[in-house]
Amino acid sequence: MSKVRQRNLMQERQSSSSKPRTLKTEPASESNGLSLCTRVLGIAVAIIVAIGLLGFYQAPYTCLTPKRLSVEVKLDGPFAFKNTLKQGTKIPGLPSPESIAEDGKGNLYTGLADGRIIKIKPSDNGRIGAGDVINVTSGIIKDIPRAMKKENGRPLVIYFKIDYLFLCHLKTTFYKIKNTSPRKTTCKKRFLFTSGLRVQDETLYVADANYGIYTVNTQTGKVKMLIKVTDVNPPLSFTDDLDISRDGKYIYFSDMSIFSLDETFYGIYKGDCSGRVFCYNTETKKIEIVASNLCFANGVQLSQDEQSLFVVEFAKFVVRIIDLATSKTVKMLNVPIMADNIRATGKGTYWVAGGILRTTLSSLLERNPIVRQMLTGLLSQESLYKLLLLSAHYNLVLEINEKGDILQSFHDPNCENYACLAQAITLSDGRLALSTYVGDHISIVNAEDAIAVGRV
């Protein structure tokens, strides 16, 4: 082949290789895109179902379909926002002071998360809650049965035996009337009738979630067991509250559920309604059941005539009024919060306090046991608690009368000043003391307008 021809062939090859190649492509079909989305969605659904099944089968308990549902109560009418609890005088440095009691000398007592019971003295000028803080008990009681494995107790409610002090007064002159039932106490027409509360002695009664019911001598710190967890069958798991008749013969107390304090939120998510209320006869030492099948039996409070018992069902947003003669519920007061404790105000009415609002989420969970079971298998107790509190931070104190009618309400939206309100009591100086089961302080406010009086 001649050199000229070789040169021409090489030039042809170079020119053909330098030309851009055109690839034949087909337009993408819409069905391919939809198919990809469908596959991704299917994988996501499969993962969610697998996680849900995992939680369902590794849940520690089988969640129950509720036999009765809580009733939706809106924050309007008697529950409408009128008075605020945002402002208050704080007594800080107290881990979870769930309950408060005042003795006849202005000393305040509360139980803490580590099991101790402490005393808060008044200041030198008599200001309640403004003095030194001292320990009364260590929080450990040796050699008795316990509801939980941990050694220290958890005093949830502390209580002095209370007498109603009835007075008839004309202007500034007071005339003491015999301490009897309000139904038997009368005043002349020209006098006004009032009542108050007073502490009878130095014996503090304690409802302890771990140990049961015991008394503490506030002067010596000596502890005396009254009711051990094994004194009833099945044993007490979560002793929560108590009240005492004026003659000291009967102690009414609640056992919240078969779940212990350490398992509280497992019990709530399960939908457990094994709570009980008992009556202990201090003379015969016998214990009788007053009510059972309660959905987390919490606060208990005798009516003024001691013919009825107010019982709070924490998990159902309800305050029951039980006729003690028949053990029948005569009224169910539905409230918008998970009510905790209930206490007499000293003027014939009662304070009901709570700190978790009923929300759409809590209502949805209540109605869907399968979802609750998945969650209990996937989340820790702390996470379950946080989920329950999602959009539910709302403290509320209600004043109710003997019939269970709402008289007024005090509000702390979003728990800005108090973390999960547990109890409200009237102090001897007329102010309102507020306690919490997860916060770190006690607050004291004016009971009339919920504005703090002075500063501690």
Side-chain angles (χ1 to χ4, degrees), residues 40-106:
V40 171
L41 181 61
I43 293 172
V45 170
I47 292 173
I48 293 172
V49 170
I51 293 174
L53 289 174
L54 177 64
F56 184 89
Y57 286 108
Q58 70 178 12
Y61 308 102
T62 300
C63 294
L64 305 175
T65 300
K67 294 181 180 179
R68 56 188 171 93
L69 296 171
S70 58
V71 176
E72 182 180 2
V73 179
K74 296 182 179 180
L75 293 173
D76 56 17
F79 302 105
F81 189 102
K82 293 180 181 178
N83 306 302
T84 179
L85 284 172
K86 286 186 179 181
Q87 301 184 48
T89 300
K90 294 183 180 181
I91 306 175
L94 308 175
S96 301
E98 169 116 2
S99 177
I100 309 168
E102 181 188 359
D103 67 13
K105 300 177 182 178

Side-chain angles (χ1 to χ4, degrees), residues 130-152:
D132 296 333
V133 177
I134 62 175
N135 289 333
V136 177
T137 69
S138 67
I140 297 176
I141 305 176
K142 298 289 187 181
D143 303 323
I144 66 164
R146 303 190 298 272
M148 296 177 283
K149 292 181 179 180
K150 62 182 182 182
E151 188 176 9
N152 65 283

